[in-house]
Amino acid sequence: MDKKVRVRYAPSPTGFLHIGNAQSALFNYLFAKHFGGTMVLRIEDTDLARNVEHGEESQMKYLHWLGIDWDEGPDKPNPKYAPYHQTERNKKGIYKKYIDQLISEGKAYYDYATEDELQQMREEQKKNGEAPHYDGRWYHASEEDIAAAKAKGIKPSVRFHLPKNHTYEWNDWALGKVEFNSDNLGGDFIIEKNNGMPTYNFAVVVDDHLMEITDTLRGADHIANTPKQMAIYEALGWEHPHFCHISLIFNPATGKKLSKRDKNTLQFISEYHREGYLKEAIFNFIAFLGWSPKGEQEIYSKEALIKAYDPHRMSKSPAFFDQKKLDWINAQYIKKTDVNDLVDRIMVLIHEQETEIAKKLNGLGYSDDQMKDVILRTVHVHQHDVNKLTEIMEHAYFYATVLDHDMDYSGLKDFDHDDTLKVLQGLKDAVKDQPDDTDPQTYLNLIKQVGKDVAVKGRNLYFPLNITFYGHSSAPQINEIMAIYHPATIVKLLDKAIAAL
RNA sequence: GACCCGUUGGUCAAGUUGGUUAAGACACCAGCCUUUCACGCUGGUAACGUGGGUCCGAAUCCCGCACGGGUCACCA
C-alpha cells in the first residue's frame, strides 16, 4: 500500500444494526486494522423520510458491543474531514459546490420531470420489453420548455449526464476485473433531489474523495452502483478508491439475500445479544461470512482475525447463513470463557429483561448476590453443554424453582423399591446437616458412602437420584446439581421422591 | 426483459499461476470415555450443475445451456 489506508463504514440510520451491516462494518474494520489504517464512520442520512429515530444511536451501540470501533466519526471528529453526517455536510454546501461545477461544465443538468411522469415512462418501457431507463428528455430541453416548467413552479432535480458507450472497469478485491458499459446503466441519473439533498451515488463519491478513502468495501448489492460512481469520479477529475464488493449473506431456507422479513433468522445484532450469543462468537462468525482464512482453524479471536485478514481472500459467491455453525461457535466461546465473566454477562441479560427467561428470573425477586450465586452454580454445571447463555438461564430458573415443579417419578418404578428407599433415606440423613456451600465433591462422597452403606451402586444408585433432583433418569453429574441446591431443598426433594415411591 | 455475479458432500467452505488420495468445519452415524445425558477423543458415510471444446492432463481455461442470485428509484 503506497498510501495510508483509510476505509469507512457508512450506514444510513434507516434501521438498527443487522447482520449485513455488521458484516460490512466488520470487514472495513479488519481491513483498516490489518493495514494499520484508519476506520471512519460516516452517517449517510440523506433520505430524510426513512431515517429512524435512535437508529444511529443503536447502530453505534451494537457496533461497539461487537468490538468494531472506529477511529473517526461523529463522536470522534477529525477537523480535517468533519462533519460526518451527510445532512450536515450538505448544509455546508459541500455537495452543491460540485453539483454547480458539473452543471457549468455541461456534465449535469436540471430535470423538471415529475415523479409520476417518470414512473409512467418506466412502466411503458417495461411494457415494451425495454430495460427501464431515463430517456434523457431534459438533457436537450429548449429554453421555452425550461421557462414553462419554471413558471409551473416545478422544482427540478439535477441529473448527471452519462457519456455514451463508455466502458467502466475496475479491479475488485473480491471479484477481480468487472466492467460495465455506460449504455447499460439506466441512463442519466439524479445526483441532487429536488429537495436539495444529494443522492447516494453522488454524495458517496464526494465524501469518499474528500475524506481520502483509499478502499471502499461494501455489499455486493452495490456492484451496479460502482460504474455510476466511477463516472462521477471521472467527471470531477478524481481518482477512485479501490473497490471491494462483499458477498451478500443468503438465507439457506429461501436461497435469497437475507431479508428483514425472514422470520426464521434473527436479523439484528441486538437480538443475538439478548439471546445469549457472545460478541466474540458473533465477530468470529461474521468474519467467515464472505471471507475465509488460509488454514483449517475455525475459532479466531479478533486479534487473530486482524492478523490473518487478507482482502484477496474475500469470496465471490454468496455466504450462506448457517445457524448451526453459529451455535457451535458460540458454544466454543462459552466453554472457554471464564466462569465469572459468564456470570457477569448473564447478569446483564437478566437486568435488561429483554427475553422471557430474563423476566422470569427477575420475577424471582432475588437480590443481585442471590441471583449471582444461583447463576454461578448453574454455570459450573452447564458451561460445557449449552449453545447460548439463555440456556444457562433456563437451567438456572429450573433449579431455582425446582420445588414448584411436578416431577415425573414414574421412572423410579424401574428400580428395586426397598433399595431405592434406603438410598433416598440414607442420603437424606447424610445431607440434612450439611452447610449451604457444600461442594460437589463432598456430595459425591456422601452419595458413594450411602451407596456403600446400603449396598447399592451403579445406575441403581444414580438413576433414582437423577430422577429425584433433575426429573430425568439422564442428567448431568448429579452431585454438581446437588451443589446448586441448598441442603434444605435437597431434603425436600428427597421427601417428595420418597412419598412418590 | 437488460446488465452484472455466482454454481464443490445434507449444510457451510478450501482449492489465487490447470497435474491434490478434492482440505477443514457443522450436521449425521459408529466406537471409546461416563451411573446416564452432554462434553471430549477416535473413526466413518458423503461433493466439483450440464453439454461441448483447448490440453498429455480441467473443479481450475474458453464457448453454449440450465439453475440461482444481485441491480435496474428524486433508497442507501
Side-chain angles (χ1 to χ4, degrees):
Chain A
M1 304 270 137
D2 40 352
K3 275 189 287 183
K4 175 110 164 101
V5 165
R6 288 175 58 82
V7 298
R8 85 298 193 281
Y9 168 59
S12 61
T14 53
F16 305 111
L17 192 73
H18 60 77
I19 295 277
N21 297 139
Q23 179 205 33
S24 178
L26 181 118
F27 284 120
N28 275 285
Y29 176 84
L30 290 181
F31 193 100
K33 296 302 154 192
H34 179 79
F35 292 113
T38 302
M39 163 119 167
V40 177
L41 177 71
R42 184 174 70 223
I43 307 294
E44 310 213 325
D45 53 356
T46 52
D47 187 348
L48 277 9
R50 288 176 61 219
N51 288 345
V52 170
E53 204 187 351
H54 304 308
E56 177 182 335
E57 175 192 324
S58 172
Q59 293 209 25
M60 288 169 71
K61 174 177 161 193
Y62 283 102
L63 244 19
H64 274 131
W65 177 70
L66 280 175
I68 299 174
D69 301 307
W70 48 95
D71 305 293
E72 276 175 35
D75 53 338
K76 290 179 164 182
N78 176 339
K80 189 173 170 195
Y81 304 110
Y84 292 85
H85 282 89
Q86 290 187 328
T87 48
E88 287 176 37
R89 299 174 68 76
N90 190 51
K91 271 186 210 148
K92 293 186 69 178
I94 290 174
Y95 309 111
K96 192 72 195 158
K97 176 179 164 195
Y98 298 106
I99 299 267
D100 289 345
Q101 181 187 328
L102 291 175
I103 292 174
S104 69
E105 290 172 356
K107 293 171 180 168
Y109 57 94
Y110 289 105
D111 173 20
Y112 293 87
T114 62
E115 290 201 51
D116 287 346
E117 194 184 332
L118 293 171
Q119 181 73 29
Q120 202 185 337
M121 174 189 77
R122 279 191 290 265
E123 266 162 32
E124 228 156 274
Q125 289 165 340
K126 257 187 172 167
K127 216 168 57 188
N128 298 336
E130 291 174 65
H133 64 281
Y134 181 72
D135 58 10
R137 56 183 65 182
W138 284 92
Y139 181 58
H140 296 294
S142 64
E143 297 288 336
E144 294 80 51
D145 289 343
I146 293 173
K150 272 187 178 164
K152 273 199 250 173
I154 296 175
K155 277 173 121 183
S157 57
V158 178
R159 270 182 202 272
F160 178 78
H161 184 61
L162 225 33
K164 283 269 162 278
N165 192 28
H166 190 287
T167 300
Y168 295 104
E169 179 188 288
W170 75 93
N171 194 0
D172 198 286
W173 279 114
L175 271 19
K177 272 203 188 343
V178 185
E179 63 171 60
F180 279 82
N181 187 294
S182 59
D183 294 347
N184 294 324
L185 266 28
D188 296 349
F189 57 94
I190 291 180
I191 54 177
E192 185 185 283
K193 307 176 202 175
N194 68 184
N195 67 359
M197 279 292 170
T199 56
Y200 165 75
N201 276 318
F202 185 73
V204 80
V205 168
V206 172
D207 289 341
D208 282 351
H209 173 74
L210 261 25
M211 292 182 173
E212 301 186 278
I213 300 302
T214 55
D215 298 84
T216 296
L217 291 79
R218 79 245 285 207
D221 47 344
H222 284 292
I223 292 173
N225 284 323
T226 302
K228 295 183 187 178
Q229 293 168 19
M230 288 176 75
I232 291 171
Y233 277 107
E234 197 174 85
L236 258 12
W238 297 338
E239 233 176 87
H240 65 78
H242 202 151
F243 296 108
C244 178
H245 289 93
I246 305 164
S247 63
L248 265 16
I249 302 169
F250 276 35
N251 181 343
T254 63
K256 289 184 170 46
K257 182 168 90 157
L258 208 53
S259 149
K260 281 155 203 133
R261 287 180 294 277
D262 293 340
K263 268 313 267 174
N264 53 1
T265 308
L266 298 185
Q267 297 295 322
F268 297 102
I269 300 304
S270 56
E271 295 176 301
Y272 286 94
H273 163 67
R274 74 161 179 255
E275 289 299 324
Y277 288 90
L278 306 193
K279 59 186 182 177
E280 296 88 343
I282 303 278
F283 194 103
N284 192 154
F285 178 71
I286 294 178
F288 279 69
L289 251 25
W291 178 81
S292 63
K294 199 152 175 59
E296 294 168 5
Q297 191 181 332
E298 304 273 337
I299 302 297
Y300 274 81
S301 67
K302 185 166 96 171
E303 290 67 31
L305 284 168
I306 289 170
K307 191 150 178 262
Y309 183 71
D310 175 359
H312 292 288
R313 297 184 64 82
M314 297 296 291
S315 80
K316 306 182 182 195
S317 42
F320 281 81
F321 189 92
D322 188 344
Q323 180 68 49
K324 285 196 174 146
K325 186 77 166 270
L326 204 210
D327 285 350
W328 177 79
I329 290 178
N330 203 48
Q332 298 304 308
Y333 278 90
I334 288 177
K335 285 190 227 304
K336 62 185 223 171
T337 299
D338 176 75
V339 173
N340 293 304
D341 189 352
L342 288 176
V343 172
D344 290 342
R345 295 186 197 218
I346 290 170
M347 290 304 288
V348 168
L349 295 180
I350 294 173
H351 286 310
E352 286 177 349
Q353 290 201 61
E354 282 174 1
T355 51
E356 281 308 306
I357 185 60
K359 287 178 191 162
K360 277 161 78 178
L361 283 167
N362 245 301
L364 257 23
Y366 285 11
S367 70
D368 261 20
D369 284 347
Q370 281 176 307
M371 187 70 84
K372 271 191 177 173
D373 185 53
V374 175
I375 299 295
L376 177 64
R377 290 168 188 243
T378 307
V379 166
H380 276 301
V381 177
H382 291 288
Q383 178 177 21
H384 295 279
D385 63 26
V386 296
N387 290 328
K388 304 185 282 186
L389 297 182
T390 42
E391 290 169 31
I392 293 178
M393 291 156 69
E394 298 278 1
H395 286 302
Y397 185 76
F398 172 81
Y399 298 129
T401 59
V402 67
L403 289 172
D404 304 332
H405 280 86
D406 291 324
M407 297 283 221
D408 176 8
Y409 293 111
S410 61
L412 290 176
K413 310 246 182 294
D414 296 338
F415 302 92
D416 183 86
H417 178 277
D418 293 346
D419 280 354
T420 303
L421 182 61
K422 278 189 268 179
V423 168
L424 299 181
Q425 207 82 57
L427 195 59
K428 184 180 162 187
D429 291 337
V431 166
K432 67 172 187 271
D433 295 323
Q434 289 294 320
D436 269 3
D437 58 352
T438 302
D439 60 30
Q441 187 55 49
T442 304
Y443 279 122
L444 185 59
N445 294 341
L446 291 179
I447 292 170
K448 284 182 171 167
Q449 188 56 50
V450 169
K452 216 179 266 179
D453 292 347
V454 302
V456 176
K457 59 181 181 179
R459 53 181 58 202
N460 292 321
L461 172 63
Y462 286 96
F463 275 30
L465 297 182
N466 287 350
I467 293 168
T468 302
F469 300 126
Y470 194 71
H472 300 281
S473 54
S474 294
Q477 297 296 316
I478 205 62
N479 57 306
E480 292 186 4
I481 289 179
M482 289 171 74
I484 295 175
Y485 300 137
H486 291 256
T489 304
I490 295 175
V491 168
K492 282 181 191 156
L493 287 169
L494 285 164
D495 281 338
K496 281 178 75 175
I498 289 167
L501 261 180

